[in-house]
Amino acid sequence: MTKIFSHRFPHPEPVQKRLKLLPVFLPFAGCPSRCVFCDQHAQTGLGGLRLEDALEALRDRLAREDGGAFGLGFFGGTFTGLSLAWQERFLELASRFAGPGGLVHLRVSTRPDRVDAESLRRLRGSGVSMIELGVQSFSSAVLATSGRGYDGAVAAGACDMVRAAGLELGIQLLPGLPGHDAPLWREDVRRTLALAPDVVRIYPCVVVRGTGLAALYDRGEYAPWPLETAVQESGRAVLDFWQAGVRVIRLGLAGEPGLLERLLAGPWHPAFGNMARSLALRLYLEERLSGLAGRVSRIFLPSRCGGELWGHGRDNVEALARLGIVRENVNFWSETDIAVELEE
Ligand code: SF4
């Protein structure tokens, strides 16, 4: 007689908070210099935006909010590099909309070398809930080659300061900077995990025309990671972050038309996030199912896995078949767990 064994285990991705986040882009505002890889004008689709205009646009945008809870984030520059007066103008405007049924989450992005205990205390007092740090890498050698102007110790210290200030922590990572390789990236992932951020963004490094990196690329002094490497390394990292309870809220740069026009080289793909997430899911299933006695007769997955299980371009099909997961025995359901029936 056939014996059936059932295994039930959670999907590894932490539950995402469902909150509308209004992004306010302040391209290069407060930045001490232009980083070698960065073109915020291309990435945000905004040209030389004046702060007065950004403030006015935010005022209009907030006035149009319809009463539901929402979050607001200042991105695209170095918020704490702005003059205090400008920081206060933006934060004071936001504070007028704060409260249940209004602005419930406020975040700013900045550089690790532009925060200190005093500035973080002030931001928290002004209603900021999360700091996203553009760490990029914890490798001092990579940071030096990329001209970031701080080292790994400063990056880690900034993360600790954010936590010590009672703020949520976001870490932005940029695999594939000059001098960055897979072992250094894996070390970055380990160091990030040790700092227990709330959220992570992963932006594999691409070459945008007009940046310092483009000049290095043109001279043959820089080669971006191939897409395959970026997907493999990001996918593995995504699983590590998920299993540590860290939400991965962005994978790859958004496909702004301005970015795509100026993209010279590098691992950009419109489905990059799907590719990395699909790999993470496949690695997780391999981890959970390899070595179990029996053959998969049925598997049930949360319906949200439907777009990721088989992988972009069906990349996961072969590996899943080795686990006994084939189209005929896959079911999607409304539960959040994964359940497997194995028969002897
Ligand atoms: S990477 Fe950050 S600090 Fe550097 S130029 Fe871009 S926005 Fe400014």
Side-chain angles (χ1 to χ4, degrees), residues 110-185:
T110 189
R111 294 166 49 101
D113 58 352
R114 288 296 183 277
V115 293
D116 54 35
E118 170 57 25
S119 63
L120 292 167
R121 193 190 54 74
R122 178 178 49 76
L123 289 170
R124 185 158 184 234
S126 302
V128 172
S129 12
M130 178 187 284
I131 306 291
E132 284 201 38
L133 290 174
V135 165
Q136 322 308 7
S137 173
F138 290 99
S139 160
S140 295
V142 170
L143 291 167
T145 315
S146 304
R148 285 288 286 173
Y150 56 86
D151 63 15
V154 167
C159 294
D160 287 337
M161 273 193 271
V162 169
R163 279 269 177 250
L167 289 154
E168 293 174 61
L169 171 66
I171 293 182
Q172 301 173 2
L173 297 168
L174 227 156
L177 282 168
H180 206 211
D181 57 15
L184 285 172
W185 162 246

Side-chain angles (χ1 to χ4, degrees), residues 28 31 33-35 37-38 40 76-78 111 136 148:
F28 294 122
C31 297
S33 58
R34 298 266 172 115
C35 297
F37 53 85
C38 184
Q40 287 296 333
T78 304
R111 294 166 49 101
Q136 322 308 7
R148 285 288 286 173

Side-chain angles (χ1 to χ4, degrees), residues 18-138:
R18 296 273 168 234
L19 180 70
K20 177 172 72 174
L21 183 70
L22 297 182
V24 180
F25 293 109
L26 306 172
F28 294 122
C31 297
S33 58
R34 298 266 172 115
C35 297
V36 68
F37 53 85
C38 184
D39 184 345
Q40 287 296 333
H41 293 150
Q43 281 166 230
T44 61
L46 299 169
L49 186 70
R50 292 172 353 123
L51 292 177
E52 285 82 0
D53 295 336
L55 187 70
E56 210 44 51
L58 177 60
R59 197 187 314 278
D60 290 349
R61 181 67 190 80
L62 289 172
R64 291 203 306 275
E65 272 308 300
D66 56 9
F70 67 96
L72 180 69
F74 292 98
F75 303 110
T78 304
F79 191 83
T80 52
L82 291 173
S83 68
L84 266 183
W86 267 111
Q87 291 181 52
E88 280 165 11
R89 287 180 80 180
F90 281 112
L91 296 176
E92 191 278 323
L93 173 59
S95 72
R96 289 186 226 159
F97 295 82
L103 178 64
V104 295
H105 173 92
L106 181 59
R107 71 176 71 173
V108 304
S109 87
T110 189
R111 294 166 49 101
D113 58 352
R114 288 296 183 277
V115 293
D116 54 35
E118 170 57 25
S119 63
L120 292 167
R121 193 190 54 74
R122 178 178 49 76
L123 289 170
R124 185 158 184 234
S126 302
V128 172
S129 12
M130 178 187 284
I131 306 291
E132 284 201 38
L133 290 174
V135 165
Q136 322 308 7
S137 173
F138 290 99

Side-chain angles (χ1 to χ4, degrees), residues 173-295:
L173 297 168
L174 227 156
L177 282 168
H180 206 211
D181 57 15
L184 285 172
W185 162 246
R186 292 178 189 190
E187 181 59 23
D188 279 341
V189 173
R190 273 193 291 279
R191 294 188 71 174
T192 303
L193 285 165
L195 291 159
D198 295 280
V199 300
V200 161
R201 295 180 195 256
I202 301 173
Y203 296 108
C205 189
V206 297
V207 185
V208 180
R209 188 175 299 122
T211 61
L213 200 60
L216 292 177
Y217 174 75
D218 286 340
R219 293 199 301 269
E221 293 168 21
Y222 170 71
W225 282 10
L227 179 62
E228 172 68 14
T229 305
V231 171
Q232 287 292 323
E233 292 302 326
S234 301
R236 284 172 193 283
V238 166
L239 181 55
D240 289 345
F241 288 131
W242 281 353
Q243 290 183 304
V246 178
R247 288 175 288 135
V248 181
I249 58 171
R250 182 78 218 175
L251 284 156
L253 291 171
E256 283 294 334
L259 173 74
L260 301 185
E261 280 161 21
R262 291 154 84 164
L263 192 63
L264 274 183
W268 188 88
H269 190 285
F272 186 84
N274 177 275
M275 292 160 134
R277 290 172 56 88
S278 298
L279 175 60
L281 177 60
R282 193 251 284 172
L283 294 171
Y284 180 63
L285 290 171
E286 287 177 342
E287 190 181 300
R288 296 303 300 237
L289 300 179
S290 295
L292 285 181
R295 191 176 61 79

